[in-house]
């Protein structure tokens, strides 16, 4: 396992707010969303209102990318900030299925304030199953790897 893969995994685990890019009538639309890792690090969970355009876009086209970055502290060159972009497909985790309760609990464990939204009927729980990751760890430090590489690193850190 490379150090750069562990850095990417640590960034995914440490953050919880990211830019989700969807297709909106064939054009890109980026929205900020909260995310949590699922219980087996197989994917990332989003709990989104169907009133939001990005949610409607996900239902129409499940191909997405998610950009996660370390916070900008206003010090130094922002080009040196760590960032990882995950690309893959989302799927709805339907209420009443075997997968819903553990995924919902995992999300609420990460975001306790989200619990009341689970009572609202217009929210859907999505799981992003990434296929690949592109990581930039600063100037001239970049790598591309599979989600399985990141997932393996998540179990080590």
């Amino acid at each position: 396992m490379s150090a750069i893969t562990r850095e990417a995994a640590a960034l995914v685990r440490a953050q919880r707010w990211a830019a989700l890019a969807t297709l909106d009538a064939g054009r890109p639309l980026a929205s900020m969303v909260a995310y949590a890792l699922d219980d087996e690090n197989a994917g990332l969970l989003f709990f989104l209102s169907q009133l939001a355009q990005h949610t409607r876009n996900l239902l129409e086209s499940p191909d997405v990318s998610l950009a996660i970055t370390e916070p900008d502290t206003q010090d130094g060159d922002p080009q040196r900030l760590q960032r990882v972009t995950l690309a893959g497909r989302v799927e709805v985790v339907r209420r009443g299925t075997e997968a819903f309760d553990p995924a919902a609990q995992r999300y609420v464990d990460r975001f306790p304030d989200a619990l009341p939204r689970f009572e609202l009927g217009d929210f859907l729980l999505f799981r992003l199953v990434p296929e690949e990751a592109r990581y930039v760890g600063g100037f001239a430090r970049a790598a591309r790897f599979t989600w399985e590489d990141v997932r393996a690193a998540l179990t080590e850190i």
Side-chain angles (χ1 to χ4, degrees):
M1 180 81 40
S2 73
I4 202 163
T5 307
R6 284 191 292 278
E7 288 174 21
L11 181 62
V12 170
R13 176 163 284 149
Q15 302 307 313
R16 61 185 202 148
W17 189 240
L20 176 70
T22 62
L23 287 175
D24 184 29
R27 299 184 59 107
L29 173 73
S31 305
M32 299 304 293
V33 297
Y35 71 89
L37 284 162
D38 70 9
D39 60 348
E40 296 179 3
N41 297 325
L44 296 95
L45 302 166
F46 314 124
F47 193 57
L48 307 171
S49 170
Q50 292 181 73
L51 299 175
Q53 185 62 47
H54 56 257
T55 304
R56 294 192 301 270
N57 294 346
L58 292 174
L59 293 171
E60 191 170 307
S61 176
D63 293 315
V64 301
S65 72
L66 185 74
I68 302 167
T69 182
E70 71 177 312
D72 181 3
T73 62
Q74 305 290 317
D75 293 327
D77 182 356
Q79 293 291 327
R80 294 187 181 270
L81 294 174
Q82 290 183 56
R83 54 221 182 251
V84 63
T85 301
L86 307 175
R89 295 177 70 90
V90 297
E91 56 192 26
V92 176
V93 182
R94 300 271 178 211
R95 293 176 192 264
T97 64
E98 187 177 314
F100 184 82
D101 287 342
Q105 187 60 56
R106 185 73 170 194
Y107 191 87
V108 171
D109 287 347
R110 182 81 188 250
F111 302 104
D113 291 340
L115 183 59
R117 289 193 292 276
F118 278 84
E119 300 300 319
L120 302 175
D122 75 304
F123 276 76
L124 295 174
L125 185 60
F126 289 89
R127 175 181 281 114
L128 167 59
V129 181
E131 296 165 5
E132 64 179 2
R134 292 183 204 114
Y135 174 75
V136 178
F139 185 73
R141 294 196 67 245
R144 185 180 200 156
F145 25 77
T146 69
W147 177 250
E148 287 305 313
D149 295 331
V150 176
R151 188 176 177 193
L154 284 165
T155 63
E156 292 183 6
I157 61 172

